[in-house]
């Protein structure tokens, strides 16, 4: 029997809820921190940056588990030519040997903002994600 994933409901495993309870953390806060630390810059760079590297690597490992590549995204299918310079600039920043990681990540935001403004809303239709009617996570 084939099961399908409901992308409109987030199921928080008991292990995650217990871990949050042990450390007296709100699960929403932990998920928001994960979201805030998942960056395009950190998914490209080889350097280590506490919190950012782990969050970004988690996404990369999930993509690998699905046997996909980042090149398969349909969000930039019709605008890849105009967005390619932004991707290249982020890549160049991530691979630059000089400069502070925090400053390079901040500089990458101008390219990220351009990519976000240009992309088609194939995967992200809203900047707000509802965990329930009273609890949201923000993407911005």
């Amino acid at each position: 029997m084939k099961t399908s994933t409901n992308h409109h409901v987030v199921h928080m495993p008991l292990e995650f809820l217990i871990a949050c309870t042990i450390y007296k953390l709100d699960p929403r806060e932990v998920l928001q921190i994960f979201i805030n630390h998942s960056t395009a810059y950190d998914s490209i760079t080889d350097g280590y940056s506490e919190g950012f590297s782990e969050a970004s690597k988690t996404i990369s490992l999930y993509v690998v588990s699905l046997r996909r590549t980042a090149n398969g995204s349909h969000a930039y299918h019709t605008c890849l030519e105009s967005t390619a310079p932004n991707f290249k600039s982020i890549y160049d920043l991530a691979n630059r040997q000089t400069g502070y990681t925090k400053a390079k990540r901040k500089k990458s935001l101008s390219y990220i903002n351009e990519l976000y403004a240009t992309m088609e809303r194939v995967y992200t239709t809203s900047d707000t994600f509802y965990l329930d009617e009273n609890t949201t996570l923000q993407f911005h």
Side-chain angles (χ1 to χ4, degrees):
M1 181 164 110
K2 184 177 179 180
T3 61
S4 62
T5 302
N6 182 344
H7 296 283
H8 301 287
V9 177
V10 174
H11 296 282
M12 290 191 224
L14 184 58
E15 289 284 337
F16 176 73
L17 294 173
I18 294 299
C20 290
T21 301
I22 289 170
Y23 293 105
K24 299 177 183 172
L25 297 171
D26 177 358
R28 182 191 152 293
E29 178 184 3
V30 174
L31 292 171
Q32 187 68 59
I33 288 169
F34 176 82
I35 291 167
N36 294 348
H37 283 78
S38 300
T39 72
Y41 172 85
D42 289 283
S43 68
I44 294 170
T45 189
D46 288 332
Y48 177 77
S49 186
E50 187 174 344
F52 292 92
S53 296
E54 292 84 358
S56 298
K57 186 71 168 180
T58 299
I59 293 172
S60 298
L61 291 172
Y62 179 62
V63 169
V64 169
S65 78
L66 297 173
R67 301 183 193 277
R68 292 188 196 161
T69 65
N71 299 338
S73 174
H74 295 285
Y76 298 101
H77 183 70
T78 60
C79 58
L80 189 56
E81 189 173 312
S82 65
T83 58
N86 291 312
F87 285 111
K88 183 177 180 339
S89 294
I90 296 167
Y91 178 83
D92 290 346
L93 269 174
N95 289 293
R96 187 185 319 157
Q97 298 298 317
T98 59
Y100 292 104
T101 299
K102 187 175 181 178
K104 292 191 288 186
R105 186 182 300 115
K106 185 175 181 178
K107 172 119 176 92
S108 76
L109 289 178
S110 63
Y111 305 117
I112 295 298
N113 288 334
E114 286 184 45
L115 288 170
Y116 186 75
T118 307
M119 72 184 230
E120 296 176 40
R121 302 285 180 223
V122 177
Y123 308 105
T124 54
T125 55
S126 173
D127 293 342
T128 303
F129 186 83
Y130 290 87
L131 292 175
D132 60 40
E133 64 184 44
N134 299 314
T135 312
T136 62
L137 300 173
Q138 298 298 314
F139 302 98
H140 51 82

